Every structure is written in structure tokens, then in C-alpha cells.
Amino acid sequence: MLRISFVLGMTAWLSTVAPALSSELVPLGCILTPECWSSSSGARPESATEAGLILTEPDALGAPVATETVASTEATGHSEDERQALLGRARTFANAVAKAAPFRKQLNALERAERNEFPGVIGPWPEAFNERFKEYVKFPRTKACAADVTALAAISSIWGEVASLAGGFAGSEADRQALAIAVYQLYLTDCFERVETAPDYLDRLVLLGSFHEPSRFMPFCAGFLLKDNVMVTARHCVVPIGEAELFLGYYGPDERAKQIHVTKPVPLTRAMLLSDPRKLYSIQILPAGGVDYNPNIPEVDTLALVLKGLEEGREMYPLVAEPQQWMNLEMTGVHDVLIDLSVVDAWEDMTMLADRTASCTVFYVSPPCLFHSCQTRFGLSGTPLLARTSDGIALIGIHAGSVGAERPACDFKRKYSFPNYGLALGAVLAVGGEQ
């Protein structure tokens, strides 16, 4: 019998291989903020503007995150021996906490409760997907990935109960943060594939970030060139975090009529084409009059931006008009805390990671939302969700973030098993036009 569990997307395995787990993964930007530890529910897009990223000073890291990028590794201040020692302790901790009886008991209880709620909504797995998934869970990397996510959930929610498993850590807040960052590095290694060959859609992938003089670029969102010089991304990527926090603090989580009107991006925001990272573009919101944003309405978290100065001539990218449940997806993005533009000449110089596993799929469709089980990480808001169809790769939508049970998207009240959602562009364009 196949036992199902999902961890930030779906990292699951047969019950005969490992204990069942269900959890949320907290983005790196949240891991490094005090607010991260106060609550694990509510809307939580994986972008710098919404997660409260505090990495403007690279020394705050205290541990490596993206080892392949020069700018990131030089910013950590750790020697290679120190880095390896920390990662080794993180691996030991992840393996230990995945087997911890108290934690497993809590997660099993949550999983049992959810299994009673979801079967009538999700429906049975088709045999084709079931066979692919059976092969996926056989990989040792799948088990390691699930252990990493379990460890991050434990660090976030029950640190006091599992600190003794950390081996050499005193259990302080500083220990918790250092261990969380190291386990996050393992997560990136175990749960994602390093992109070694340029994908066909490389020239459509865009990073949104803050440009810091003289040559620093810190990505906090992503996007995709849909046509000509127009990209699609998540709307919250252009909203200052202070504005969203003030809105929620003043109106609360139930206000859906009031709006934040945005006419221009966050100051110093620039766009970078991954196919040519040596040039940054200023951006303009479409339509010219601006857009409205309400953090309580995730169903409209899409946006069109023009890359000013970028040549036109790109045809409309193939678009899936109506997403279907169980479609195979892939997510490809960049994970870099800080990009040093003086040493980055091509996409190979950056850390491009992808989830192309059998577990990366559409689990539920409720237009315009699609709930997916792909692994996600900091900075992927606005990242394209790409479907593998019989005719090749096609755009299905954009990743928007994750929502809590108290503030669901498209009336889908997930709790632990379905933290990720995207917006289907076919449904969005059918309502609003291409602009």
C-alpha cells in the first residue's frame, strides 16, 4: 500500500522505506527573521518582499547557502573545513530528527486528519502517475530530501524537543539559526537538480532583484517573458513589504474590498535575463495606470511588466489554456543570496536548480489557482510553472507562494499537505486579456 505524505511540494516515500511525514518548509528569508518562528500559518509567498528578507548584509548568513556562486560563498566568512563540518552535523541532525518518535507521532496525527478530508477532493491517483511516483520514491535522494524538510520543520516548530539531537549544539537561538541554514543547504542539494544544460526556455527566464552599487544584485522574485518584452510574475513582487504589513495590521485577514494601489515597482528593482546576466533592465508595470493589490486575495496575484530597452520580436510562448490535474511540471530557478555582477558572465556562473521529478505535478485545479507539489525555495515567486506535454514544454502558470488553512486560495482549505499554489495564466488571460 502506498502511503502518501507531502513536504513542501511532495517528498514522500513508501511506508516500508521511511516513516510518514507532513510539513511545511519555511523559505530561507523567513528562517532568518524572528517573525518566522512565531507562526507557521497564513499567507507566505516565497519572495524577499513578503518574507522579510534580511540578507542585505551577507555576513548575516553565518553559513553557506549557494556554494556554486562566487558572491555567495565569499560572503559567508567560513572556511571550507568549517563549512563541511557544519554540513556534516546538519546531516546527522536531519537523519536523527526524521526518526524521532515524538515528532513522528505529531506528524502522523496531522496526516491522518488530512487524509479524512482530502480524498473526495483530490480523487484517486491515475495509474500512470502512480507508477512514476513509485520509481521516484526508490531513490536514496528522495529519502534524504524528506529528512531535510522534516528537520527544518522540527527546527521551526519543536526546537526544544529536538535540540538534543543536534550533537554539539547548546540549543540556543544562534544554534537554531545556524543549523537551519546548514540544513537548508542540504535541502537545496538533495531536493533539486543542478541545471547543467541550458533549457530551451532559458532566454525567457527573468530574475527580479534589488540593484546595489557598485555591482551587487540580490534576486527576490522571478518571471517569464510571455511575448516581446512583456514578462509575467507575481503581483506581490512589486509591493513594499511595509505596505503589505500595514494593510494586514490595519484591516486584518478578512478584508477583501480595500486595495493597495501600486504604480511603480519597489525602488531599485531591476530585471535580469538569465541568458544575458551582464545587463539589468528597468521595468514598468502594465497597465500604465498601475495595479491594485490585496494580500488577502491570492487569486489575483499576477502581474505584467515591461522590460524597458529590451528588444521585441518574441512570439507568444506556448500556453496551456486549461491545466489538468496530474500534469507533469518542472520548476527552474536561481538560488543566489547575492550575485556579484563583476564575476558573473553567463548563466552557468549562477546556481540554477530545478525540480523535474515525478512528484512535481498539478494536484488540484480550481481556476485560476492550481495547487502543485513541486519543491520551492526563497525567491521563486513568479517563477514559471512549465508543463511537459506531448508537444514539448509549455507555460501553464506562475508560482505565487503558499497559503494557510485560515486564508486559503480559491476556496481550497489545505493545512499541511498542499502548501504551494500557482496561478494558471490561461484563466487569467481569458479574463483580463493579454494587455
Side-chain angles (χ1 to χ4, degrees), residues 7 21 23-25 31 37 89-99 103 107 144-159 162 165 176 179-180 182-184 186-187:
V7 281
L21 305 169
S23 65
E24 297 180 30
L25 177 67
I31 287 174
W37 308 108
R89 293 163 76 184
R91 178 72 72 191
T92 299
F93 173 77
N95 291 338
V97 78
K99 300 175 182 178
F103 193 34
L107 294 176
C145 171
D148 300 338
V149 177
T150 304
L152 285 168
I155 292 170
S156 174
S157 59
I158 54 171
W159 173 240
V162 299
L165 302 175
R176 175 162 73 162
L179 193 61
V183 175
Y184 193 86
L186 297 180
Y187 167 75

Side-chain angles (χ1 to χ4, degrees), residues 33-48:
T33 58
E35 293 76 17
C36 176
W37 308 108
S38 61
S39 174
S40 61
S41 63
R44 195 192 67 245
E46 281 101 7
S47 77

Side-chain angles (χ1 to χ4, degrees), residues 95-150:
N95 291 338
V97 78
K99 300 175 182 178
F103 193 34
R104 187 169 69 246
K105 183 178 180 179
Q106 292 180 33
L107 294 176
N108 286 348
L110 293 172
E111 187 185 49
R112 283 195 300 272
E114 291 203 346
R115 282 205 305 270
N116 293 332
E117 297 177 24
F118 285 135
V121 177
I122 301 302
W125 292 19
E127 186 58 30
F129 177 77
N130 193 36
E131 291 302 315
R132 289 194 305 270
F133 187 73
K134 286 180 179 179
E135 291 301 313
Y136 166 69
V137 298
K138 292 179 181 178
F139 298 139
R141 185 173 171 183
T142 303
K143 182 177 179 180
C145 171
D148 300 338
V149 177
T150 304

Side-chain angles (χ1 to χ4, degrees), residues 180-251:
I181 296 172
V183 175
Y184 193 86
Q185 175 65 70
L186 297 180
Y187 167 75
L188 295 177
T189 301
D190 295 332
C191 298
F192 295 93
E193 170 189 341
R194 174 68 191 267
V195 177
E196 302 289 354
T197 303
D200 292 340
Y201 49 81
L202 177 68
D203 62 344
R204 302 269 187 159
L205 291 174
V206 183
L207 292 182
L208 287 179
S210 298
F211 180 46
H212 300 271
E213 297 290 350
S215 62
R216 294 179 172 185
F217 182 72
M218 186 170 67
F220 54 71
C221 275
F224 195 76
L225 286 174
L226 186 63
K227 182 180 179 181
D228 291 328
N229 57 357
V230 178
M231 66 173 283
V232 288
T233 187
R235 188 171 298 194
H236 69 260
C237 292
V238 298
V239 180
I241 184 172
E243 292 292 323
E245 288 180 342
L246 284 173
F247 183 95
L248 291 173
Y250 188 81
Y251 294 111

Side-chain angles (χ1 to χ4, degrees), residues 204-210 217-224 231 233 269-274 277 279-281 283 307 332-336 339 350-352 379-381 383:
R204 302 269 187 159
L205 291 174
V206 183
L207 292 182
L208 287 179
S210 298
F217 182 72
M218 186 170 67
F220 54 71
C221 275
F224 195 76
M231 66 173 283
T233 187
T269 298
R270 296 291 185 270
M272 171 192 287
L273 282 176
L274 292 208
K279 183 175 181 180
L280 299 180
Y281 297 88
I283 54 178
L307 274 63
T332 302
V334 169
H335 179 88
D336 284 317
I339 298 176
M350 292 179 285
T351 312
M352 284 187 64
L380 286 190
S381 290
T383 294

